[in-house]
Every structure is written in structure tokens, then in C-alpha cells.
């Protein structure tokens, strides 16, 4: 019995790309995935761990409190705050 190590994300992408034979949808999906990962790293690099914890607590409080604001509206406000932080950086 062999114990194989898990494939890296890059190795997984190469295998899938080979199987799909340069599928445009896969290319766009991988580009979106990479952009999302980059945005997440930028977001975390702009805030201290304490700020991220406060943000998490505020989000939990907002989710548990009754609100007249729709969920979509709240998501847009969070995205607007993130883009503002990126713009002023």
C-alpha cells in the first residue's frame, strides 16, 4: 500500500487543464480563483489581527440582530468598505 501526498493546487490545475484541453471556462474559473485569493491576501494585509477580530465580532453581531437592511445591501456595504481600503492604500 502506498501513501501518496496530496497534490499541490498547481499540480491539480495542470492535471485538470490537460484533461479539459484548454477549456476557456476553466481558464476563466482559474483566473477568478486567483483574483479572489489575491483580494483575500490584500484584505488581510491591510488590517491588524485585532481589527480583523473586531470586524468579525461586528459581523456576527449584525447577523444576529434583527435588521431592516437586506442581506444583499449589507454585502454591498462590506464590499464598498474593502474597495475603499484598497483604493486609499
Amino acid at each position: 500500500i502506498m501513501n501518496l501526498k496530496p497534490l499541490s493546487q498547481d499540480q491539480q490545475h495542470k492535471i485538470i487543464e490537460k484533461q479539459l484541453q484548454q477549456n476557456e471556462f476553466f481558464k476563466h474559473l482559474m483566473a477568478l480563483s486567483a483574483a479572489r485569493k489575491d483580494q483575500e491576501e490584500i484584505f488581510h494585509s491591510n488590517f491588524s489581527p485585532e481589527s480583523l477580530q473586531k470586524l468579525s465580532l461586528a459581523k456576527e453581531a449584525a447577523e444576529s440582530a434583527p435588521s431592516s437592511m437586506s442581506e444583499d445591501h449589507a454585502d454591498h456595504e462590506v464590499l464598498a468598505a474593502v474597495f475603499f481600503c484598497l483604493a486609499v492604500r
Side-chain angles (χ1 to χ4, degrees), residues 40-73:
E40 189 73 21
E41 290 173 1
I42 292 168
F43 177 81
H44 285 285
S45 71
N46 279 293
F47 295 98
S48 68
E50 295 83 18
S51 296
L52 289 172
Q53 185 178 14
K54 287 179 185 177
L55 181 62
S56 177
L57 292 172
K59 183 178 178 186
E60 288 174 15
E63 288 173 350
S64 64
S67 174
S68 61
M69 186 176 8
S70 74
E71 190 174 307
D72 287 340
H73 184 71

mmCIF file of all heavy atoms in Angstrom, residues 40-73:
data_model
loop_
_atom_site.group_PDB
_atom_site.id
_atom_site.type_symbol
_atom_site.label_atom_id
_atom_site.label_comp_id
_atom_site.label_asym_id
_atom_site.label_seq_id
_atom_site.Cartn_x
_atom_site.Cartn_y
_atom_site.Cartn_z
ATOM 1 N N GLU A 40 -8.198 38.406 -1.097
ATOM 2 C CA GLU A 40 -8.232 37.970 0.303
ATOM 3 C C GLU A 40 -6.909 38.306 0.999
ATOM 4 O O GLU A 40 -6.900 38.798 2.138
ATOM 5 C CB GLU A 40 -8.492 36.462 0.361
ATOM 6 C CG GLU A 40 -8.753 35.923 1.736
ATOM 7 C CD GLU A 40 -10.116 36.286 2.293
ATOM 8 O OE1 GLU A 40 -11.028 36.622 1.509
ATOM 9 O OE2 GLU A 40 -10.260 36.267 3.518
ATOM 10 N N GLU A 41 -5.794 38.075 0.320
ATOM 11 C CA GLU A 41 -4.482 38.400 0.888
ATOM 12 C C GLU A 41 -4.318 39.905 1.093
ATOM 13 O O GLU A 41 -3.800 40.345 2.118
ATOM 14 C CB GLU A 41 -3.369 37.853 -0.006
ATOM 15 C CG GLU A 41 -3.270 36.344 0.020
ATOM 16 C CD GLU A 41 -2.286 35.783 -0.995
ATOM 17 O OE1 GLU A 41 -1.644 36.572 -1.727
ATOM 18 O OE2 GLU A 41 -2.175 34.554 -1.069
ATOM 19 N N ILE A 42 -4.775 40.699 0.129
ATOM 20 C CA ILE A 42 -4.705 42.151 0.249
ATOM 21 C C ILE A 42 -5.564 42.631 1.408
ATOM 22 O O ILE A 42 -5.149 43.478 2.205
ATOM 23 C CB ILE A 42 -5.127 42.836 -1.072
ATOM 24 C CG1 ILE A 42 -4.092 42.566 -2.164
ATOM 25 C CG2 ILE A 42 -5.341 44.329 -0.880
ATOM 26 C CD1 ILE A 42 -4.551 42.950 -3.550
ATOM 27 N N PHE A 43 -6.756 42.080 1.523
ATOM 28 C CA PHE A 43 -7.656 42.450 2.607
ATOM 29 C C PHE A 43 -6.995 42.192 3.957
ATOM 30 O O PHE A 43 -6.966 43.061 4.826
ATOM 31 C CB PHE A 43 -8.970 41.660 2.498
ATOM 32 C CG PHE A 43 -9.934 41.926 3.614
ATOM 33 C CD1 PHE A 43 -10.738 43.048 3.595
ATOM 34 C CD2 PHE A 43 -10.019 41.059 4.681
ATOM 35 C CE1 PHE A 43 -11.633 43.295 4.628
ATOM 36 C CE2 PHE A 43 -10.908 41.292 5.724
ATOM 37 C CZ PHE A 43 -11.709 42.415 5.692
ATOM 38 N N HIS A 44 -6.431 41.004 4.134
ATOM 39 C CA HIS A 44 -5.817 40.656 5.413
ATOM 40 C C HIS A 44 -4.542 41.450 5.686
ATOM 41 O O HIS A 44 -4.207 41.698 6.845
ATOM 42 C CB HIS A 44 -5.557 39.151 5.496
ATOM 43 C CG HIS A 44 -6.804 38.369 5.732
ATOM 44 N ND1 HIS A 44 -7.435 38.318 6.945
ATOM 45 C CD2 HIS A 44 -7.565 37.626 4.892
ATOM 46 C CE1 HIS A 44 -8.520 37.576 6.865
ATOM 47 N NE2 HIS A 44 -8.629 37.152 5.610
ATOM 48 N N SER A 45 -3.835 41.859 4.633
ATOM 49 C CA SER A 45 -2.606 42.630 4.847
ATOM 50 C C SER A 45 -2.896 44.077 5.238
ATOM 51 O O SER A 45 -2.021 44.771 5.741
ATOM 52 C CB SER A 45 -1.728 42.589 3.601
ATOM 53 O OG SER A 45 -2.304 43.347 2.551
ATOM 54 N N ASN A 46 -4.125 44.547 5.006
ATOM 55 C CA ASN A 46 -4.478 45.923 5.324
ATOM 56 C C ASN A 46 -5.015 46.108 6.740
ATOM 57 O O ASN A 46 -5.254 47.232 7.160
ATOM 58 C CB ASN A 46 -5.504 46.458 4.330
ATOM 59 C CG ASN A 46 -4.852 46.913 3.054
ATOM 60 O OD1 ASN A 46 -4.114 47.881 3.051
ATOM 61 N ND2 ASN A 46 -5.091 46.197 1.977
ATOM 62 N N PHE A 47 -5.248 45.026 7.451
ATOM 63 C CA PHE A 47 -5.830 45.116 8.784
ATOM 64 C C PHE A 47 -4.979 44.336 9.777
ATOM 65 O O PHE A 47 -4.466 43.271 9.462
ATOM 66 C CB PHE A 47 -7.255 44.560 8.800
ATOM 67 C CG PHE A 47 -8.213 45.362 7.967
ATOM 68 C CD1 PHE A 47 -8.532 44.961 6.690
ATOM 69 C CD2 PHE A 47 -8.777 46.521 8.468
ATOM 70 C CE1 PHE A 47 -9.413 45.696 5.914
ATOM 71 C CE2 PHE A 47 -9.654 47.262 7.704
ATOM 72 C CZ PHE A 47 -9.978 46.860 6.427
ATOM 73 N N SER A 48 -4.878 44.871 10.976
ATOM 74 C CA SER A 48 -4.184 44.158 12.044
ATOM 75 C C SER A 48 -5.058 42.999 12.502
ATOM 76 O O SER A 48 -6.281 43.004 12.273
ATOM 77 C CB SER A 48 -3.920 45.106 13.216
ATOM 78 O OG SER A 48 -5.144 45.465 13.830
ATOM 79 N N PRO A 49 -4.484 42.006 13.183
ATOM 80 C CA PRO A 49 -5.304 40.900 13.703
ATOM 81 C C PRO A 49 -6.417 41.398 14.632
ATOM 82 O O PRO A 49 -7.523 40.861 14.618
ATOM 83 C CB PRO A 49 -4.297 40.037 14.459
ATOM 84 C CG PRO A 49 -2.990 40.316 13.798
ATOM 85 C CD PRO A 49 -3.058 41.762 13.389
ATOM 86 N N GLU A 50 -6.125 42.455 15.400
ATOM 87 C CA GLU A 50 -7.149 43.000 16.293
ATOM 88 C C GLU A 50 -8.313 43.596 15.499
ATOM 89 O O GLU A 50 -9.472 43.410 15.853
ATOM 90 C CB GLU A 50 -6.539 44.073 17.207
ATOM 91 C CG GLU A 50 -5.499 43.548 18.171
ATOM 92 C CD GLU A 50 -4.111 43.426 17.542
ATOM 93 O OE1 GLU A 50 -3.836 44.039 16.491
ATOM 94 O OE2 GLU A 50 -3.291 42.677 18.098
ATOM 95 N N SER A 51 -7.986 44.302 14.419
ATOM 96 C CA SER A 51 -9.032 44.890 13.585
ATOM 97 C C SER A 51 -9.876 43.810 12.921
ATOM 98 O O SER A 51 -11.096 43.944 12.815
ATOM 99 C CB SER A 51 -8.416 45.783 12.501
ATOM 100 O OG SER A 51 -7.761 46.877 13.072
ATOM 101 N N LEU A 52 -9.228 42.747 12.466
ATOM 102 C CA LEU A 52 -9.963 41.649 11.840
ATOM 103 C C LEU A 52 -10.885 40.976 12.845
ATOM 104 O O LEU A 52 -12.013 40.604 12.510
ATOM 105 C CB LEU A 52 -8.990 40.625 11.238
ATOM 106 C CG LEU A 52 -8.238 41.087 9.997
ATOM 107 C CD1 LEU A 52 -7.176 40.076 9.612
ATOM 108 C CD2 LEU A 52 -9.192 41.317 8.847
ATOM 109 N N GLN A 53 -10.421 40.853 14.089
ATOM 110 C CA GLN A 53 -11.262 40.251 15.119
ATOM 111 C C GLN A 53 -12.466 41.151 15.417
ATOM 112 O O GLN A 53 -13.587 40.663 15.538
ATOM 113 C CB GLN A 53 -10.461 40.009 16.393
ATOM 114 C CG GLN A 53 -11.262 39.273 17.449
ATOM 115 C CD GLN A 53 -10.440 38.982 18.698
ATOM 116 O OE1 GLN A 53 -9.370 39.547 18.890
ATOM 117 N NE2 GLN A 53 -10.949 38.098 19.520
ATOM 118 N N LYS A 54 -12.237 42.467 15.498
ATOM 119 C CA LYS A 54 -13.339 43.402 15.729
ATOM 120 C C LYS A 54 -14.337 43.342 14.572
ATOM 121 O O LYS A 54 -15.543 43.377 14.787
ATOM 122 C CB LYS A 54 -12.808 44.823 15.889
ATOM 123 C CG LYS A 54 -12.107 45.077 17.197
ATOM 124 C CD LYS A 54 -11.589 46.507 17.264
ATOM 125 C CE LYS A 54 -10.782 46.751 18.522
ATOM 126 N NZ LYS A 54 -10.228 48.121 18.548
ATOM 127 N N LEU A 55 -13.820 43.260 13.356
ATOM 128 C CA LEU A 55 -14.681 43.167 12.176
ATOM 129 C C LEU A 55 -15.519 41.900 12.227
ATOM 130 O O LEU A 55 -16.721 41.919 11.941
ATOM 131 C CB LEU A 55 -13.843 43.203 10.900
ATOM 132 C CG LEU A 55 -14.589 43.133 9.579
ATOM 133 C CD1 LEU A 55 -15.517 44.320 9.415
ATOM 134 C CD2 LEU A 55 -13.610 43.083 8.421
ATOM 135 N N SER A 56 -14.897 40.795 12.621
ATOM 136 C CA SER A 56 -15.610 39.527 12.732
ATOM 137 C C SER A 56 -16.698 39.603 13.796
ATOM 138 O O SER A 56 -17.827 39.144 13.580
ATOM 139 C CB SER A 56 -14.625 38.405 13.055
ATOM 140 O OG SER A 56 -15.293 37.191 13.230
ATOM 141 N N LEU A 57 -16.382 40.198 14.938
ATOM 142 C CA LEU A 57 -17.370 40.340 16.005
ATOM 143 C C LEU A 57 -18.518 41.251 15.578
ATOM 144 O O LEU A 57 -19.684 40.978 15.877
ATOM 145 C CB LEU A 57 -16.704 40.881 17.276
ATOM 146 C CG LEU A 57 -15.736 39.947 17.974
ATOM 147 C CD1 LEU A 57 -15.010 40.676 19.112
ATOM 148 C CD2 LEU A 57 -16.443 38.705 18.492
ATOM 149 N N ALA A 58 -18.191 42.325 14.872
ATOM 150 C CA ALA A 58 -19.233 43.237 14.388
ATOM 151 C C ALA A 58 -20.138 42.538 13.380
ATOM 152 O O ALA A 58 -21.358 42.722 13.395
ATOM 153 C CB ALA A 58 -18.593 44.471 13.768
ATOM 154 N N LYS A 59 -19.536 41.715 12.533
ATOM 155 C CA LYS A 59 -20.335 40.985 11.534
ATOM 156 C C LYS A 59 -21.263 39.995 12.225
ATOM 157 O O LYS A 59 -22.441 39.883 11.872
ATOM 158 C CB LYS A 59 -19.410 40.253 10.556
ATOM 159 C CG LYS A 59 -20.152 39.538 9.463
ATOM 160 C CD LYS A 59 -19.203 38.859 8.497
ATOM 161 C CE LYS A 59 -19.984 38.112 7.442
ATOM 162 N NZ LYS A 59 -19.133 37.331 6.572
ATOM 163 N N GLU A 60 -20.751 39.281 13.229
ATOM 164 C CA GLU A 60 -21.579 38.336 13.976
ATOM 165 C C GLU A 60 -22.724 39.056 14.674
ATOM 166 O O GLU A 60 -23.860 38.570 14.673
ATOM 167 C CB GLU A 60 -20.731 37.581 15.001
ATOM 168 C CG GLU A 60 -19.796 36.568 14.401
ATOM 169 C CD GLU A 60 -18.879 35.939 15.439
ATOM 170 O OE1 GLU A 60 -19.143 36.060 16.652
ATOM 171 O OE2 GLU A 60 -17.887 35.311 15.029
ATOM 172 N N ALA A 61 -22.435 40.202 15.271
ATOM 173 C CA ALA A 61 -23.477 40.971 15.954
ATOM 174 C C ALA A 61 -24.536 41.443 14.962
ATOM 175 O O ALA A 61 -25.736 41.399 15.253
ATOM 176 C CB ALA A 61 -22.854 42.151 16.680
ATOM 177 N N ALA A 62 -24.086 41.903 13.798
ATOM 178 C CA ALA A 62 -25.027 42.377 12.782
ATOM 179 C C ALA A 62 -25.895 41.238 12.256
ATOM 180 O O ALA A 62 -27.083 41.426 11.984
ATOM 181 C CB ALA A 62 -24.264 43.033 11.641
ATOM 182 N N GLU A 63 -25.315 40.052 12.135
ATOM 183 C CA GLU A 63 -26.071 38.909 11.631
ATOM 184 C C GLU A 63 -27.096 38.420 12.644
ATOM 185 O O GLU A 63 -28.161 37.940 12.271
ATOM 186 C CB GLU A 63 -25.124 37.772 11.252
ATOM 187 C CG GLU A 63 -24.327 38.055 10.002
ATOM 188 C CD GLU A 63 -23.267 36.996 9.719
ATOM 189 O OE1 GLU A 63 -23.025 36.133 10.588
ATOM 190 O OE2 GLU A 63 -22.677 37.048 8.628
ATOM 191 N N SER A 64 -26.781 38.549 13.926
ATOM 192 C CA SER A 64 -27.705 38.047 14.944
ATOM 193 C C SER A 64 -28.771 39.067 15.317
ATOM 194 O O SER A 64 -29.814 38.712 15.855
ATOM 195 C CB SER A 64 -26.941 37.619 16.199
ATOM 196 O OG SER A 64 -26.302 38.739 16.780
ATOM 197 N N ALA A 65 -28.540 40.348 15.027
ATOM 198 C CA ALA A 65 -29.513 41.393 15.373
ATOM 199 C C ALA A 65 -30.547 41.519 14.266
ATOM 200 O O ALA A 65 -30.216 41.415 13.091
ATOM 201 C CB ALA A 65 -28.786 42.713 15.564
ATOM 202 N N PRO A 66 -31.810 41.739 14.653
ATOM 203 C CA PRO A 66 -32.822 41.973 13.611
ATOM 204 C C PRO A 66 -32.513 43.292 12.904
ATOM 205 O O PRO A 66 -32.083 44.260 13.526
ATOM 206 C CB PRO A 66 -34.129 42.062 14.384
ATOM 207 C CG PRO A 66 -33.756 42.269 15.800
ATOM 208 C CD PRO A 66 -32.359 41.792 15.984
ATOM 209 N N SER A 67 -32.704 43.304 11.620
ATOM 210 C CA SER A 67 -32.345 44.492 10.857
ATOM 211 C C SER A 67 -33.329 44.691 9.717
ATOM 212 O O SER A 67 -33.850 43.739 9.147
ATOM 213 C CB SER A 67 -30.936 44.329 10.298
ATOM 214 O OG SER A 67 -30.623 45.389 9.444
ATOM 215 N N SER A 68 -33.548 45.938 9.389
ATOM 216 C CA SER A 68 -34.397 46.238 8.236
ATOM 217 C C SER A 68 -33.582 46.246 6.951
ATOM 218 O O SER A 68 -34.123 46.284 5.864
ATOM 219 C CB SER A 68 -35.071 47.602 8.430
ATOM 220 O OG SER A 68 -34.086 48.604 8.532
ATOM 221 N N MET A 69 -32.249 46.200 7.105
ATOM 222 C CA MET A 69 -31.369 46.208 5.941
ATOM 223 C C MET A 69 -31.316 44.802 5.340
ATOM 224 O O MET A 69 -31.108 43.832 6.052
ATOM 225 C CB MET A 69 -29.958 46.654 6.347
ATOM 226 C CG MET A 69 -29.040 46.817 5.181
ATOM 227 S SD MET A 69 -27.365 47.441 5.528
ATOM 228 C CE MET A 69 -27.191 47.479 7.238
ATOM 229 N N SER A 70 -31.499 44.713 4.046
ATOM 230 C CA SER A 70 -31.448 43.406 3.394
ATOM 231 C C SER A 70 -30.033 42.862 3.412
ATOM 232 O O SER A 70 -29.058 43.601 3.516
ATOM 233 C CB SER A 70 -31.953 43.506 1.951
ATOM 234 O OG SER A 70 -30.992 44.143 1.150
ATOM 235 N N GLU A 71 -29.909 41.553 3.298
ATOM 236 C CA GLU A 71 -28.591 40.910 3.311
ATOM 237 C C GLU A 71 -27.754 41.368 2.124
ATOM 238 O O GLU A 71 -26.560 41.597 2.252
ATOM 239 C CB GLU A 71 -28.772 39.396 3.278
ATOM 240 C CG GLU A 71 -27.499 38.633 3.523
ATOM 241 C CD GLU A 71 -27.729 37.146 3.621
ATOM 242 O OE1 GLU A 71 -28.570 36.725 4.411
ATOM 243 O OE2 GLU A 71 -27.044 36.419 2.882
ATOM 244 N N ASP A 72 -28.378 41.534 0.966
ATOM 245 C CA ASP A 72 -27.649 41.988 -0.219
ATOM 246 C C ASP A 72 -27.065 43.373 0.015
ATOM 247 O O ASP A 72 -25.936 43.655 -0.368
ATOM 248 C CB ASP A 72 -28.557 42.016 -1.449
ATOM 249 C CG ASP A 72 -28.872 40.621 -1.967
ATOM 250 O OD1 ASP A 72 -28.102 39.691 -1.636
ATOM 251 O OD2 ASP A 72 -29.869 40.468 -2.683
ATOM 252 N N HIS A 73 -27.840 44.227 0.636
ATOM 253 C CA HIS A 73 -27.366 45.586 0.903
ATOM 254 C C HIS A 73 -26.165 45.556 1.842
ATOM 255 O O HIS A 73 -25.193 46.281 1.630
ATOM 256 C CB HIS A 73 -28.500 46.434 1.493
ATOM 257 C CG HIS A 73 -28.128 47.858 1.718
ATOM 258 N ND1 HIS A 73 -27.931 48.737 0.676
ATOM 259 C CD2 HIS A 73 -27.890 48.549 2.855
ATOM 260 C CE1 HIS A 73 -27.593 49.913 1.174
ATOM 261 N NE2 HIS A 73 -27.568 49.832 2.498
#
